[in-house]
Amino acid sequence: MAKPSSKLIELARASLSAQEQALSEPYSEERWAPWRKAAETFQATVVAEAEATEQGRYALEMAAKKAVLRPEPAPED
């Protein structure tokens, strides 16, 4: 299973948050620009991290998104 870095998970979170914001309002170039920028940054980081760690790009991207959308519950002490 792919292991995304905490930086990649944070970029995925930022991209998905920007997407939610963009989709909550009527379309305009300036409203969607933050989403496009966040998604571009996330994708560039996915590619760089996949190459650096020799993990599959797709698996790494999906693991980062899963960590944001379906986080593992924290272990109880």
Side-chain angles (χ1 to χ4, degrees):
M1 178 172 202
K3 304 269 188 206
S5 67
S6 58
K7 176 184 177 182
L8 190 59
I9 292 170
E10 286 304 313
L11 290 172
R13 185 173 286 118
S15 178
L16 291 167
S17 177
Q19 178 185 27
E20 287 177 16
Q21 181 65 33
L23 295 174
S24 71
E25 302 173 4
Y27 174 79
S28 76
E29 283 290 321
E30 46 289 335
R31 284 192 193 118
W32 282 40
W35 175 21
R36 282 192 296 276
K37 179 64 177 163
E40 180 181 296
T41 302
F42 172 65
Q43 288 299 321
T45 305
V46 168
V47 170
E49 190 167 312
E51 289 174 357
T53 61
E54 297 182 353
Q55 298 181 74
R57 189 205 61 78
Y58 178 77
L60 193 58
E61 178 180 347
M62 292 301 105
K65 289 181 178 180
K66 180 181 177 186
V68 173
L69 297 172
R70 295 187 187 99
E72 296 286 323
E76 294 183 26
D77 292 330

